[in-house]
């Protein structure tokens, strides 16, 4: 499906795909002449669900707690940062006229996008702090350029005019559950058909794991369906690490099943939030987890649970989910 520009936007505009309500606190009033006391952060229960955080809970409920409720810091990784860089380059390339969207131009964008990324995220400086000669950084940037170049063998950007890039979408289901995320690219054909595209800098999964890989895309398709009443014609995963393209054409029944799964998942999250019982689940992915020092599976002790555990009614004030509260409409 070739796409044309000018399609109606699918989302509410800018924002972030953060899966929880912002952690903010009111500044307390102070007497004249006294120093301002630092605001105490207000920890809130999960308020919405993104594909990443849904995946966290399915992988390990305790990991979800560490990331969403405790907000424990995590070190940046070379692989994830390279993915962010490649995404930025592919997004920016479409700023150029169609005839100028070439592989050399795309590769030339890598250094500048890396500079912008470092400016916006100073913590990334630690990635190459032990590389004074810059050899490892040069190899890393070269790997990013290779991934960008491989994309041209999979898609022809001179024939694409995306309707949206890095599109923030959010929809509230009838149950009250809010779903949100960021779609890499949305193509809209002259006939109105919608294609959702996501870039992956890793390798394509084996066929038996393809369903898990498509979960994120079906999540996005569900949000678009609920927002616009349009079932996307195609979901497309572009794997730059292996040079593969995985496609799937959803139907309403698929998305209804995803919705039921997400409602059940949200109910499990609500119950864990109320009880404070976040069970760790050890998998082969634990080796890459930043939180093993505080994980019981590795002899650690989680930090004190920051939300109240109470049997008060669901209508108690304060915005904290209480025991006994059920997922609306579930």
């Amino acid at each position: 499906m070739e796409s044309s520009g000018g399609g109606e936007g699918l989302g509410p505009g800018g924002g972030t795909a953060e899966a929880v309500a912002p952690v903010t606190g009111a500044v307390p009033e102070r007497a004249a002449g006294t120093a301002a006391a630092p605001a105490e952060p207000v920890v809130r229960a999960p308020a919405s669900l993104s594909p990443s955080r849904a995946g966290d809970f399915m992988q390990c409920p305790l990991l979800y707690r560490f990331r969403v409720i405790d907000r424990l810091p995590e070190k940046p990784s070379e692989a994830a940062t390279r993915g962010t860089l490649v995404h930025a380059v592919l997004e920016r390339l479409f700023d150029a006229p169609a005839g100028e969207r070439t592989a050399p131009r795309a590769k030339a964008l890598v250094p500048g996008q890396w500079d912008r990324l470092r400016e916006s995220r100073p913590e990334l400086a630690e990635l190459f702090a032990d590389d004074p000669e810059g050899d490892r950084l040069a190899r890393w940037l070269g790997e990013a350029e290779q991934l960008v170049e491989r994309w041209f063998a999979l898609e022809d950007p001179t024939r694409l005019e995306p309707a949206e890039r890095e599109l923030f979408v959010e929809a509230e289901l009838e149950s009250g559950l809010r779903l949100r995320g960021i779609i890499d690219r949305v193509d809209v054909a002259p006939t109105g058909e919608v294609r959702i595209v996501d870039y992956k800098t890793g390798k394509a999964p084996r066929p038996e794991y393809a369903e898990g890989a498509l979960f994120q895309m079906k999540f996005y398709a569900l949000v678009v369906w609920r927002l616009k009443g349009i079932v996307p014609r195609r979901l497309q995963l572009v794997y730059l690490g292996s040079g593969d393209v995985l496609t799937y054409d959803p139907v309403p029944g698929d998305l209804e099943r995803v919705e039921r799964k997400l409602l059940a998942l949200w109910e499990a999250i609500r119950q864990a939030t109320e009880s404070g019982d976040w069970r760790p689940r050890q998998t082969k992915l634990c080796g890459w987890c930043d939180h093993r020092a505080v994980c019981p599976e590795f002899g650690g002790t989680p930090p004190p649970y920051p939300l109240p555990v109470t049997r008060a009614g669901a209508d108690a004030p304060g915005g904290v989910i209480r025991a006994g509260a059920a997922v609306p409409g579930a």
Side-chain angles (χ1 to χ4, degrees):
M1 179 185 75
E2 299 302 337
S3 65
S4 66
E8 182 183 2
L10 297 172
T16 166
E18 184 59 53
V20 297
V23 177
T24 59
V27 178
E29 294 184 3
R30 59 189 176 96
T34 62
E40 288 290 332
V42 177
V43 180
R44 298 191 183 276
S48 60
L49 197 60
S50 69
S52 297
R53 300 294 79 84
D56 287 344
F57 189 85
M58 290 187 288
Q59 176 187 326
C60 173
L62 186 59
L63 174 63
Y64 177 96
R65 178 202 144 171
F66 287 158
R67 286 179 166 170
V68 175
I69 296 178
D70 299 288
R71 300 195 179 205
L72 299 184
E74 297 182 350
K75 296 179 180 179
S77 73
E78 290 187 19
T81 305
R82 183 170 52 238
T84 302
L85 174 59
V86 170
H87 277 72
V89 169
L90 297 185
E91 180 190 5
R92 291 277 70 82
L93 182 66
F94 284 104
D95 290 341
E100 298 177 19
R101 298 170 194 160
T102 64
R105 183 187 183 99
K107 291 167 64 177
L109 290 173
V110 170
Q113 290 302 314
W114 170 234
D115 289 341
R116 291 183 178 87
L117 189 58
R118 284 186 303 165
E119 291 172 3
S120 64
R121 296 177 56 189
E123 71 275 12
L124 296 180
E126 68 182 83
L127 279 174
F128 301 100
D130 60 347
D131 181 37
E133 302 299 322
D135 295 335
R136 190 157 55 86
L137 173 60
R139 288 195 298 272
W140 182 82
L141 290 172
E143 292 166 355
E145 291 177 358
Q146 291 173 8
L147 292 171
V148 167
E149 187 172 31
R150 183 171 291 150
W151 177 59
F152 287 82
L154 304 175
E155 295 190 290
D156 182 358
T158 66
R159 302 180 66 186
L160 297 171
E161 290 297 340
E164 306 283 359
R165 291 172 274 155
E166 295 294 315
L167 173 67
F168 173 77
V169 290
E170 182 177 52
E172 184 170 316
L173 304 182
E174 290 184 2
S175 66
L177 171 60
R178 282 191 293 128
L179 304 178
R180 62 197 321 190
I182 297 178
I183 302 175
D184 288 348
R185 198 180 86 220
V186 178
D187 300 331
V188 180
T191 54
E193 294 177 310
V194 173
R195 175 172 61 190
I196 296 176
V197 181
D198 195 75
Y199 309 119
K200 300 294 185 185
T201 49
K203 296 180 179 180
R206 295 198 297 268
E208 59 266 32
Y209 297 114
E211 183 62 29
L214 283 169
F215 170 77
Q216 173 188 8
M217 304 302 286
K218 291 181 180 180
F219 184 110
Y220 292 147
L222 173 62
V223 175
V224 170
W225 187 31
R226 293 309 186 205
L227 275 175
K228 293 293 181 179
I230 300 171
V231 175
R233 174 68 178 83
R234 173 152 295 178
L235 310 178
Q236 182 165 303
L237 284 161
V238 181
Y239 285 94
L240 305 176
S242 57
D244 295 299
V245 176
L246 177 63
T247 62
Y248 184 80
D249 298 341
V251 297
D254 292 333
L255 306 187
E256 289 169 350
R257 284 188 289 273
V258 171
E259 186 169 6
R260 289 193 294 270
K261 178 176 182 177
L262 291 173
L263 288 174
L265 187 65
W266 190 244
E267 172 66 10
I269 291 172
R270 297 270 310 247
Q271 290 179 3
T273 303
E274 297 158 10
S275 66
D277 184 9
W278 300 89
R279 303 289 176 91
R281 181 179 299 129
Q282 191 167 166
T283 71
K284 62 182 180 181
L285 298 176
C286 290
W288 286 272
C289 183
D290 281 342
H291 309 303
R292 284 176 292 176
V294 291
C295 177
E297 293 293 307
F298 296 89
T301 301
Y305 189 53
L307 292 175
V309 177
T310 176
R311 291 294 172 183
D315 56 349
V320 176
I321 299 173
R322 310 291 182 173
V327 175

